[in-house]
Amino acid sequence: MAALSAPAAFLAVLVVMLAKNAEKLLTGESATVRGVSRCVEGGGMALPASHCDGRWAFSDGRTGEGEITGSEVSVGDSIFAGDGWAYTTTGPLHRIVWALVGILVALAVVLLSMYVGYRRRLRRTAAEG
């Protein structure tokens, strides 16, 4: 049973990450940057992504503030945002979601292949014995 706990935990983390980022894609909307306080240039896969701290306004008058992930932004730029989060474009969210979907599909294929191999071994053993 302990051997299954690590893969189950890994699967749970992947599903939570997928749900969180898919929810952002579904609930986010276009907003306009109203203020930028500081920008940090990120780099590479291991380092945090480039981002700016800022404020934005939605078309219905609501406002938000937080980290705007992506390249440097300026006042007046259009971004994709939600409550407390924003991206310069939807691209990073799409990449995350589809990468996680790909990993989950690959994992399902591996598990199905292992199950089919196990069933074949069981049948072969039963036929021989």
Side-chain angles (χ1 to χ4, degrees):
M1 190 60 124
L4 294 178
S5 62
F10 178 69
L11 180 62
V13 168
L14 288 179
V15 169
V16 167
M17 287 175 56
L18 176 61
K20 178 179 151 188
N21 287 291
E23 179 185 20
K24 285 181 178 180
L25 271 175
L26 294 172
T27 61
E29 53 191 290
S30 183
T32 303
V33 176
R34 294 292 182 227
V36 179
S37 58
R38 87 179 163 99
C39 292
V40 176
E41 187 174 331
M45 298 297 282
L47 298 175
S50 297
H51 64 276
C52 295
D53 293 331
R55 298 182 331 271
W56 54 88
F58 298 99
S59 60
D60 63 3
R62 291 178 300 124
T63 60
E65 65 178 71
E67 189 174 281
I68 304 170
T69 304
S71 58
E72 195 168 315
V73 293
S74 301
V75 172
D77 287 353
S78 184
I79 58 173
F80 185 73
D83 293 329
W85 59 268
Y87 289 83
T88 54
T89 68
T90 60
L93 285 171
H94 281 285
R95 282 191 294 277
I96 292 167
V97 166
W98 290 111
L100 291 170
V101 166
I103 290 168
L104 289 171
V105 167
L107 183 60
V109 168
V110 167
L111 291 174
L112 183 62
S113 298
M114 291 171 66
Y115 177 74
V116 168
Y118 171 74
R119 295 291 298 180
R120 284 182 180 167
R121 281 191 304 278
L122 278 180
R123 274 192 233 124
R124 193 174 336 127
T125 304
E128 292 173 357

